Amino acid sequence: MASVFTFDHDPPRVNSPWQSGQDSGKRPHTERSVTTGAIVESDQLSDSHLERLEAEPQDGPIEYKLHLLLRPRRTYDKMSTTIKVSGSQQSRSIREAKQPRQPTQPLASSSQTRQNRLHHLTTQLLWRLQQSSPYHSTARGDLVLPKLPEDIADLTALEKPGKLLPGLEESNGALYEIGVADDGTFVGLTKDEMDESMTTLKVMAASLGCRVEVQRMKAVGSCEWIDITSESKDEVRVADLWVAEALILPVLDAQSNADGQQTSQLSSIPRRGASITEQLRISLIGPTTSGKTTLLGTLSNGALDNGRGSSRINLLRHRHEVASGRTSSIAQELIGYEDRKIFNYNIDNINEWPDIHDRAENGRLVFLLDSAGHPRYQRTTLRALIGWAPHWTFICIPANEDGTSTSGTHSLSGVNGSPGVGMASMDLAMAHLDLCLKLAIPLAIIITKSELGQRSLLKDRLNIVFTKVKAIGRTPKLLASTARDEDNLTEVPDSDLQKIKDEIINPIAKLGDPLSVVPIILTSAVRGIGIGLTHALLRSLPVPPIPTARDFVPLALNPEQPAALFHIDEVFEMSLSRAQTATTPRSSESAPVITGYLRFGTLSIGDRVVLGPFPGDDEDTGALMPNDHPSPGYGLSIPHPSSAEFARLSSRQTLSASQIEGEWRQATIVNIRDLRLPVQTIEAGQAGSIQVVFEESVGETSDTTTASERPRISSARLRKGQVLAVPSQHMIDTGLSLQAASSLIASFKTSDVKSLTVNSLVNAYVGMVRAAVRVLRVRRQRLDFSSRKTLTEDDDVFGINDHIELERTKSEADLDEYHSEYHVSLELLNSREWIELGSRIVLVEGGSKDKSGLEGYVGKVIEIGE
């Protein structure tokens, strides 16, 4: 499955064929010239016992070349290496040695011939470099080769590396074995021919934005030829024959400015810059039987389902999901649009996400997240709704009856007090709908399996949906397609685009509010009903403005706001490429990769950033966790805790986050992917992955400390919910650091929050953070309309409200209750978190047999405590 989270933990390696069968612990040898007997001092020359290499592999980053001359080789009378040779390639070398001498030493017939050969050799090098790049796609840019001068000696002026060709950013390089035949036999080149071949290789590499490092040279024999150009006519010359190994690496240097700070050279961007394609992020939610994954498979694969889940099989990430048919994780897919064209895996030459980026460069990219539907995995649903901050949310509701009675009042039952078994899908779908309406996010409703639904049942379900949507002031719009079902998979029908524009886009634009209209589409992944209309909706939905640091609260009220903020969703351990290892000082070969989305600001390769918050060095986070803690970094949060579980956990000696220090660690960005597309810069609102190398502090290591003893931060200590940030200039000037919150106060505009019990434990969801918190206080705020003053229960200094009841009508009391605001003080447990002032927070109590696990209190963070 293509995913922003999918990484190869064992990327392609560039292993030298000289290492095969060789004792790596053997001491390097010196090499003796065959003709002169001189000792060649080189640590590279440790392979005197090798007489040949293994045959050249057809695939991979290793290339054998007899030579890289842009002219024919001279004719030799004797070559010691051809005596031991067998095979077609080597027989040709013998025949070349026995050819009659030419009166002159001709070059190529024209400069155009030399240019063509250079183009052929460079294209071959590009292909070998791509072979060592994980998930490489075809380079999008055309080869730009320098025009060769007439004089071969002038090629040295073309050896300076230029702009890195897009697509080679993550290449681990390529190895060239020069003077070696295809079957691994050492044929060799004279010194001048080897120098000339190396010059050609450097010109080839420079045109791709790469550099050349000579790994080894070995004398393999000698040769004789008659030099008719010398003063003494027909002078016999003798020379050594050499083979060489050269490593070609992409140039990824991040140079330093005058102040010593690392900067990414945007003036000579070695990548595709930042993706300028419009991106729309959508979460798919709904009950476990609603067909979310099947619908996503049909949209992304361009093929109808067979009624037994064939379209969703490639989207499932775990074996138990395939066996049970129940999604437990977030799956992601990417679809591209340009005009009426749909770019998915049904299109030729589209195999990976970068291919979709290339085809939809001038259109739109839609990033879809498929979440779990079963209440057992409710935290996965909340992660897709809250953590990923989707631009739009699609709720999938099945049109058919699933065989379980529906009460219409969310009477969900389970086993052993936990929901998830025997519940009605419509009840669970309504729980999803209620949460989305509370979150006030743009919403569309997809009625799936319409070919199986009975007319009366479908009408009843639509009535329930319409009632809930209208109750909060939104307008539901039921849409039906007039296009033929079979026309909906390759292009968006014009009639569907016009219908979406007239009934959805234009009303939203007129009202200026994407919450005003809720589209409802009837679909069938088996017959193709409504698939074209869904594509038209994905193609046309409005994208919110680029997010900024001032979206939640004014910057003056939050001076600790960084210049850029990236929310971390998942962490992976990956190795640096050979090019990155060579250009990253004081780094290990391992560097974690974090995935998520950029809340605001921009991030580029070479930027110095901070990550955290981490616990202090003297604190053992493992000792702070309960024994049954499911995963590090989540406090007491468990997948679907019941009230009994929370009561048991609260009886333990839980540790307040205020007793834990919060630290921030510095790192450097070495790699960025924007939805798997290698880029130089990622911009606000875009989702992707970032690879970082942590920096060692000055006092962290000593001269006597070995590399293996140096402490380093691995992916085990990075966790979901942390952030990557670039401190603002104000923070740098004033010495402020990012806050690491241990407590917070949230504001809620619903009286239901009064049911929270002081000192009880609940789950809190804020951004990517999911943590257990303790309720410290619930305080009611009353709005005095006459003086426009907000009063709290503490404002009654004389306490007369405890003894005197104000005489008010029931309508006045209801109005006062409606305009009331509740402030809830919360204490984080076991770990500090980055929490943005003004961000949305959702509190979820422990589940029980009469709850779906999605009943939560939605509020806003108004105060942060450290």
Side-chain angles (χ1 to χ4, degrees):
M1 179 196 70
S3 167
V4 71
F5 303 115
T6 303
F7 291 94
D8 189 354
H9 293 275
D10 187 20
R13 297 284 182 177
V14 184
N15 295 320
S16 172
W18 295 74
Q19 305 285 338
S20 178
Q22 179 178 328
D23 184 3
S24 59
K26 187 176 294 185
R27 185 176 179 178
H29 295 277
T30 56
E31 188 68 24
R32 184 179 299 273
S33 172
V34 178
T35 56
T36 65
I39 300 295
V40 181
E41 299 290 344
S42 174
D43 292 336
Q44 305 288 349
L45 305 179
S46 58
D47 312 289
S48 58
H49 65 288
L50 287 179
E51 294 185 357
R52 63 181 300 158
L53 302 177
E54 295 180 354
E56 178 190 46
Q58 294 298 318
D59 297 323
I62 301 176
E63 176 72 21
Y64 292 1
K65 301 298 292 185
L66 279 175
H67 64 84
L68 293 173
L69 304 176
L70 300 180
R71 59 170 177 82
R73 292 188 67 185
R74 66 167 62 93
T75 302
Y76 296 99
D77 290 333
K78 294 181 181 179
M79 293 182 66
S80 62
T81 55
T82 58
I83 300 176
K84 311 179 239 181
V85 184
S86 61
S88 60
Q89 180 66 49
Q90 286 67 39
S91 298
R92 185 170 71 248
S93 300
I94 296 175
R95 291 194 298 269
E96 290 177 357
K98 294 182 178 179
Q99 289 176 356
R101 298 193 306 271
Q102 300 295 330
T104 59
Q105 191 177 19
L107 298 178
S109 58
S110 67
S111 60
Q112 184 62 35
T113 304
R114 295 172 58 215
Q115 192 75 32
N116 290 342
R117 174 163 169 78
L118 180 65
H119 188 279
H120 171 75
L121 292 173
T122 306
T123 304
Q124 193 175 48
L125 172 60
L126 172 62
W127 188 82
R128 289 296 184 184
L129 286 168
Q130 289 175 334
Q131 290 293 297
S132 68
S133 177
Y135 307 110
H136 72 266
S137 61
T138 303
R140 189 169 58 177
D142 296 330
L143 290 179
V144 180
L145 299 180
K147 186 176 180 180
L148 296 178
E150 294 297 331
D151 188 359
I152 297 180
D154 292 340
L155 287 180
T156 55
L158 306 175
E159 295 179 6
K160 184 178 179 181
K163 177 181 176 181
L164 185 65
L165 191 71
L168 298 181
E169 298 84 2
E170 298 176 11
S171 172
N172 284 294
L175 280 174
Y176 263 56
E177 309 297 336
I178 304 175
V180 182
D182 289 344
D183 69 347
T185 302
F186 294 148
V187 177
L189 297 174
T190 60
K191 185 65 168 61
D192 62 315
E193 290 176 333
M194 181 63 72
D195 291 343
E196 194 174 327
S197 293
M198 282 294 179
T199 299
T200 303
L201 182 60
K202 291 177 181 179
V203 172
M204 294 158 47
S207 66
L208 301 177
C210 301
R211 56 190 172 89
V212 177
E213 294 181 1
V214 179
Q215 301 296 297
R216 70 188 78 235
M217 289 190 67
K218 175 182 174 65
V220 295
S222 61
C223 63
E224 293 182 5
W225 76 97
I226 298 177
D227 187 1
I228 60 174
T229 62
S230 62
E231 295 180 359
S232 55
K233 193 173 183 181
D234 295 340
E235 178 184 358
V236 177
R237 291 187 176 271
V238 180
D240 289 336
L241 291 174
W242 296 84
V243 295
E245 181 181 65
L247 175 64
I248 299 93
L249 291 172
V251 177
L252 300 175
D253 290 322
Q255 298 185 359
S256 300
N257 57 20
D259 299 329
Q261 297 178 342
Q262 282 192 331
T263 59
S264 56
Q265 292 183 318
L266 298 180
S267 59
S268 56
I269 297 176
R271 291 194 166 209
R272 305 188 187 184
S275 174
I276 60 173
T277 308
E278 182 182 70
Q279 294 184 12
L280 182 69
R281 190 163 61 248
I282 293 179
S283 289
L284 270 68
I285 65 171
T288 190
T289 59
S290 61
K292 303 181 301 298
T293 310
T294 300
L295 175 64
L296 180 56
T298 298
L299 294 172
S300 61
N301 294 324
L304 296 178
D305 188 66
N306 62 356
R308 297 185 297 276
S310 61
S311 65
R312 67 182 175 90
I313 195 68
N314 292 329
L315 275 69
L316 301 179
R317 302 179 65 187
H318 305 290
R319 183 175 298 177
H320 70 83
E321 294 178 329
V322 178
S324 66
R326 181 180 298 162
T327 303
S328 63
S329 59
I330 292 183
Q332 308 82 28
E333 277 301 343
L334 189 67
I335 305 175
Y337 298 94
E338 185 175 353
D339 298 329
R340 294 180 55 232
K341 297 178 181 178
I342 303 172
F343 299 117
N344 53 24
Y345 296 122
N346 191 38
I347 305 300
D348 292 338
N349 299 323
I350 290 184
N351 301 308
E352 296 179 347
W353 287 13
D355 301 326
I356 299 177
H357 279 271
D358 292 344
R359 303 290 288 274
E361 184 175 11
N362 299 318
R364 162 182 288 193
L365 295 170
V366 178
F367 178 43
L368 297 112
L369 301 102
D370 174 32
S371 63
H374 197 280
R376 179 181 180 184
Y377 309 111
Q378 54 93 6
R379 66 178 182 182
T380 304
T381 303
L382 292 170
R383 172 181 157 202
L385 274 176
I386 303 167
W388 274 98
H391 301 147
W392 283 76
T393 297
F394 283 14
I395 297 182
C396 295
I397 301 175
N400 64 321
E401 179 61 68
D402 60 0
T404 307
S405 61
T406 305
S407 66
T409 58
H410 306 343
S411 58
L412 308 175
S413 59
V415 177
N416 298 327
S418 62
V421 179
M423 66 174 55
S425 62
M426 188 59 182
D427 287 337
L428 187 54
M430 293 302 99
H432 283 85
L433 179 58
D434 289 340
L435 180 58
C436 288
L437 295 176
K438 289 180 183 178
L439 290 171
I441 53 180
L443 181 66
I445 298 174
I446 308 296
I447 306 297
T448 59
K449 306 179 182 180
S450 62
E451 80 282 3
L452 301 178
Q454 298 179 359
R455 188 178 185 88
S456 58
L457 177 63
L458 180 60
K459 182 179 180 180
D460 291 340
R461 295 194 169 185
L462 287 176
N463 283 335
I464 297 174
V465 171
F466 273 58
T467 301
K468 286 183 174 293
V469 172
K470 290 180 178 179
I472 62 168
R474 298 197 195 183
T475 304
K477 286 281 188 178
L478 183 61
L479 305 173
S481 176
T482 58
R484 296 184 304 168
D485 299 342
E486 58 269 19
D487 294 338
N488 299 340
L489 302 178
T490 57
E491 288 188 345
V492 183
D494 283 329
S495 57
D496 289 344
L497 279 174
Q498 191 61 43
K499 181 181 289 291
I500 293 295
K501 180 180 179 181
D502 294 341
E503 301 193 31
I504 305 298
I505 306 304
N506 289 343
I508 289 178
K510 183 177 180 180
L511 297 173
D513 183 9
L515 302 178
S516 58
V517 180
V518 178
I520 302 176
I521 301 178
L522 274 65
T523 66
S524 169
V526 175
R527 297 182 181 178
I529 299 172
I531 299 300
L533 202 58
T534 305
H535 276 300
L537 189 65
L538 295 174
R539 176 68 182 90
S540 306
L541 284 176
V543 178
I546 297 176
T548 69
R550 296 175 293 275
D551 291 339
F552 296 159
V553 294
L555 198 59
L557 300 180
N558 191 12
E560 296 183 9
Q561 196 78 319
L565 184 71
F566 184 91
H567 284 287
I568 299 176
D569 178 74
E570 290 203 34
V571 182
F572 298 88
E573 189 72 32
M574 283 191 68
S575 300
L576 289 172
S577 69
R578 296 184 68 162
Q580 291 170 334
T581 303
T583 58
T584 304
R586 297 188 305 165
S587 66
S588 63
E589 292 185 359
S590 179
V593 172
I594 58 175
T595 65
Y597 72 95
L598 187 59
R599 161 75 179 87
F600 56 80
T602 60
L603 294 172
S604 300
I605 293 178
D607 283 352
R608 297 187 64 183
V609 298
V610 294
L611 289 92
F614 292 95
D617 291 332
D618 57 344
E619 293 159 341
D620 182 8
T621 56
L624 305 178
M625 303 298 175
N627 293 332
D628 57 349
H629 187 270
S631 59
Y634 285 96
L636 300 177
S637 181
I638 56 181
H640 193 83
S642 64
S643 299
E645 286 287 339
F646 267 133
R648 179 174 63 85
L649 291 172
S650 62
S651 65
R652 295 188 175 191
Q653 295 296 325
T654 55
L655 185 64
S656 170
S658 61
Q659 302 180 37
I660 303 173
E661 295 295 328
E663 295 184 356
W664 297 88
R665 305 293 173 88
Q666 292 187 344
T668 301
I669 297 177
V670 297
N671 199 351
I672 298 178
R673 291 183 186 175
D674 182 352
L675 295 177
R676 298 189 66 184
L677 176 72
V679 293
Q680 172 73 21
T681 301
I682 187 171
E683 297 186 343
Q686 295 179 343
S689 57
I690 298 175
Q691 188 173 23
V692 297
V693 173
F694 283 97
E695 298 180 4
E696 299 176 1
S697 60
V698 177
E700 192 170 289
T701 60
S702 63
D703 296 337
T704 58
T705 304
T706 62
S708 60
E709 295 173 344
R710 293 173 186 169
R712 70 178 181 89
I713 301 174
S714 66
S715 61
R717 297 192 63 186
L718 279 169
R719 57 178 174 80
K720 299 178 183 179
Q722 289 180 323
V723 296
L724 178 150
V726 177
S728 64
Q729 190 61 44
H730 170 74
M731 298 175 68
I732 296 174
D733 295 340
T734 58
L736 291 174
S737 64
L738 274 72
Q739 53 89 359
S742 63
S743 62
L744 60 96
I745 298 177
S747 171
F748 297 86
K749 294 185 180 298
T750 173
S751 60
D752 295 339
V753 78
K754 292 188 298 183
S755 62
L756 290 175
T757 305
V758 175
N759 287 327
S760 64
L761 301 183
V762 296
N763 271 334
Y765 293 82
V766 190
M768 288 291 187
V769 173
R770 180 177 68 88
V773 298
R774 189 192 307 276
V775 179
L776 300 180
R777 187 177 187 182
V778 179
R779 184 174 58 183
R780 179 185 176 189
Q781 306 288 117
R782 292 185 295 107
L783 185 64
D784 186 355
F785 293 97
S786 60
S787 60
R788 297 294 180 180
K789 177 184 176 183
T790 301
L791 303 176
T792 70
E793 294 174 346
D794 297 336
D795 291 327
D796 182 20
V797 295
F798 296 104
I800 60 175
N801 286 339
D802 294 336
H803 308 286
I804 301 175
E805 181 178 356
L806 299 179
E807 296 181 357
R808 297 182 301 176
T809 64
K810 186 175 186 300
S811 59
E812 289 174 338
D814 292 341
L815 182 63
D816 182 62
E817 182 71 21
Y818 177 77
H819 287 286
S820 293
E821 185 176 313
Y822 290 84
H823 290 180
V824 180
S825 300
L826 303 168
E827 178 188 38
L828 292 166
L829 301 178
N830 294 334
S831 62
R832 291 176 178 262
E833 304 288 353
W834 159 266
I835 296 177
E836 187 174 359
L837 192 65
S839 57
R840 182 188 293 118
I841 182 172
V842 178
L843 300 182
V844 180
E845 294 184 278
S848 61
K849 61 183 180 181
D850 59 342
K851 291 184 178 181
S852 67
L854 297 176
E855 294 82 4
Y857 309 104
V858 180
K860 182 175 69 172
V861 177
I862 60 174
E863 187 176 328
I864 302 294
E866 295 192 39

